[in-house]
Amino acid sequence: MKLTKNFNKSEFDCSCGCNMPADVLFNIKVVAENLQVLRDFVGSSITVNSAYRCKDYNRRIGGASRSQHILGKASDIVVKEFTPDEVYDIVQNLRRNPSLQGVVFQGLGRYNTFTHLDTRQNYTTWDNRK
């Protein structure tokens, strides 16, 4: 199922192969639409490493018990030709400047090999680089 011009539902499915609930699919569509804004802005492809995680799978991989991934509101991404730090800075800029096409990613996390983005209600950032 195509969610946007560049993103398919399969990219956001749980890695365990379970079925995605309808309410989660709604949230995933919002995430995909915002990732499309980012992709269009940077002009480079985005790989979704992790998006929806059912509770069992999230627990198995040691994810946070209140992870936005469980709700289908999060994605861990890599953007071709950009470092995770560069992606973090670009998204931070897009969040602060609606005239730059703004995105609704409220959660923004730095990691060594990817950038975490989510659509939670509260604005938050963190740095989990080692």
Side-chain angles (χ1 to χ4, degrees):
M1 169 194 293
K2 202 133 180 94
L3 301 177
T4 71
K5 71 180 180 182
N6 295 109
F7 292 102
N8 293 308
K9 178 188 167 286
S10 61
E11 297 174 83
F12 298 88
D13 286 337
C14 184
S15 294
C16 80
C18 67
N19 289 323
M20 184 184 293
D23 60 327
V24 170
L25 179 57
F26 175 84
N27 293 336
I28 285 295
K29 287 178 182 177
V30 173
V31 170
E33 289 165 2
N34 282 275
L35 286 176
Q36 187 66 53
V37 170
L38 176 60
R39 188 187 191 290
D40 292 344
F41 184 78
V42 298
S44 193
S45 64
I46 294 176
T47 301
V48 178
N49 293 345
S50 178
Y52 171 59
R53 298 178 194 153
C54 68
K55 288 181 182 178
D56 288 341
Y57 182 73
N58 190 64
R59 188 174 21 258
R60 273 196 310 250
I61 65 165
S65 61
R66 297 181 60 184
S67 172
Q68 296 296 304
H69 288 278
I70 296 169
L71 303 172
K73 292 186 172 189
S75 60
D76 298 335
I77 64 164
V78 173
V79 180
K80 188 176 181 179
E81 301 174 12
F82 291 88
T83 68
D85 284 342
E86 290 170 330
V87 173
Y88 182 98
D89 292 341
I90 290 165
V91 172
Q92 190 72 295
N93 193 29
L94 287 170
R95 290 187 337 167
R96 292 179 177 153
N97 298 294
S99 63
L100 295 177
Q101 302 181 25
V103 294
V104 297
F105 291 123
Q106 293 289 79
L108 178 57
R110 284 184 198 260
Y111 292 83
N112 291 336
T113 59
F114 65 90
T115 307
H116 171 97
L117 306 170
D118 69 56
T119 59
R120 72 182 70 206
Q121 293 203 289
N122 301 337
Y123 184 94
T124 187
T125 60
W126 63 91
D127 188 339
N128 277 8
R129 293 174 295 175
K130 301 206 179 342

